[in-house]
Structure formats: structure tokens, C-alpha cells
Amino acid sequence: AQTVTQSQPEMSVQEAETVTLSCTYDTSESDYYLFWYKQPPSRQMILVIRQEAYKQQNATENRFSVNFQKAAKSFSLKISDSQLGDAAMYFCAYRSENYGGATNKLIFGTGTLLAVQP
Amino acid sequence: DVKVTQSSRYLVKRTGEKVFLECVQDMDHENMFWYRQDPGLGLRLIYFSYDVKMKEKGDIPEGYSVSREKKERFSLILESASTNQTSMYLCASSLWSGRAYNEQFFGPGTRLTVL
């Protein structure tokens, strides 16, 4: 069974600085997707960024980028130029690429609570 | 914009009560999901549905059931609520496309307290 581990329960960053959130996962599959989701306080969870395992190039979305190391099964999220609105719980998630049924489900890590200091 | 709504943001129930949590999505998504979110445990899948009247158990289905009579609505039912079901419940939906990835869109969550 696949597992996702986020070893940093809480992180803090100064506004305008850069922060990296860590995520490791365990799987025997070769094809899968990885995601970072953001859950702001009292607001809906939204997708920040996704990575297909077959792509060697790291995904980037504006100030958010990932460092995907397939062999090491590591998937970290880097937030550049941190803003107050980045304060949230961040979840790393895994999804199998296999077809059908509950393999469509997301497997989540335990989350990292990011505080942004003004 | 995809919209996933949940019937209540906060709910307080008594032990033994039957509890219904409702989720509605407005984008004609085939897949709908119920997750439970607890501190230190992340999100865990309770049930998911890939079509009307179709359902599959997730990782923690015990004590829960679901109903999907219409495509846009997915209900989570606690037949006899217990205090260990106090939690945040999140609904999500996505398109179905086999192997391809489709983003899951989440509702705002229902924080359920069972006394």
C-alpha cells in the first residue's frame, strides 16, 4: 500500500522569504501523480500544483515549484516570495495512475501548517 | 467555477443519533468522495462513488454509509453517531476519465461534534 509522509507538522517563514515543505512517499508503482493541496484557515482546500511521475521536469506554478526526486521518492514544495495569504495547512497527496475503482482515490500526508510572519 | 457545497459548516449531534451530511456539486462530475480530516492523521477516505447508486468503501468505512440517488448529490450517513466520529468531514468531486488525472474539487467541510 502507498503511504505519504510529511515530517514537518509546522513551519514558519518571513514574508517575502522562501520556504520548502518536505514530502516523501512510498510506492511500488512506476506511474502515479503527486499533488500539493492548500487548506487556508476556514476555507476550502485547493490544488496548488501537481506532478506526473513520468515527467522529469519539475512542475512550476507562479511562486510555487516542486523538487521531484523519483528515485528518492521525495516531492518537496518550494514557495518563493512568501505572502501572508500563503499561510495555510499544506497537504502532500499521491494518486495511482492505475485504472478504475478506489485507485482514483488520493492518499494524503498528515499536513504541514505554514505560518507567514509579517 | 466548480462548486462543491456541503449542507452545514458546523453540526452538533448526540450519541446514538442518525446523522446525514449532504454534498452537492454543480459540474456534472461522475466521482464524488467523502473524507474525514483529523489532526495528525491528514485526510482519510471514507467512501467514494463513481456513478449514481455506485459506491466503494474507502479506508475507514466502519460506522458510515452513503447514498447517491442523483449524480450531483452524495450523502454520508452516520447510522448511530458516536463520540469518536467527532471530526471534520470533507466532500470532493471530480470527472471520471479512467487513467487520466482529473482534479478533485473540495467542499468547505462540515465540522461535526458528537456529544
Side-chain angles (χ1 to χ4, degrees), chain A residues 31 33 35 37 39 42-45 47 50 89 91 95 97-102 104-106 108-110, chain B residues 4 9 33 35 37 40-43 45 48 56-57 59 90 96 98-104 106-108:
Chain A
D31 296 321
Y33 300 95
F35 311 91
Y37 275 86
Q39 187 180 40
S42 302
R43 292 180 61 189
Q44 283 167 257
M45 181 134 27
L47 179 66
R50 77 167 189 256
M89 181 72 86
F91 291 98
R95 202 208 89 165
E97 201 196 50
N98 290 327
Y99 177 83
N104 281 283
K105 71 176 185 180
L106 291 172
F108 286 87
T110 52
Chain B
V4 180
R9 290 300 302 269
F33 307 81
Y35 292 93
Q37 181 179 359
L41 296 177
L43 278 75
L45 181 67
F48 112 93
E56 279 198 26
K57 292 180 180 179
D59 299 315
L90 295 176
W96 168 265
R99 292 173 65 93
Y101 164 74
N102 280 299
E103 180 180 348
Q104 287 191 24
F106 285 82

Side-chain angles (χ1 to χ4, degrees), chain A residues 60-78:
Chain A
T60 300
E61 288 287 342
N62 301 313
R63 297 182 295 107
F64 298 86
S65 61
V66 298
N67 183 5
F68 173 50
Q69 302 289 329
K70 191 172 184 180
K73 296 180 182 173
S74 171
F75 183 61
S76 60
L77 175 70
K78 185 170 84 171

Side-chain angles (χ1 to χ4, degrees), chain B residues 53-108:
Chain B
K53 297 190 188 294
M54 307 304 288
K55 62 186 179 185
E56 279 198 26
K57 292 180 180 179
D59 299 315
I60 51 165
E62 297 78 19
Y64 303 94
S65 62
V66 291
S67 171
R68 192 160 180 208
E69 298 295 321
K70 292 185 177 182
K71 191 175 185 180
E72 67 271 18
R73 187 180 297 269
F74 191 34
S75 302
L76 180 69
I77 303 157
L78 287 66
E79 295 288 343
S80 178
S82 63
T83 55
N84 62 14
Q85 292 178 310
T86 292
S87 187
M88 170 72 88
Y89 291 89
L90 295 176
C91 176
S93 73
S94 72
L95 286 169
W96 168 265
S97 59
R99 292 173 65 93
Y101 164 74
N102 280 299
E103 180 180 348
Q104 287 191 24
F105 293 88
F106 285 82

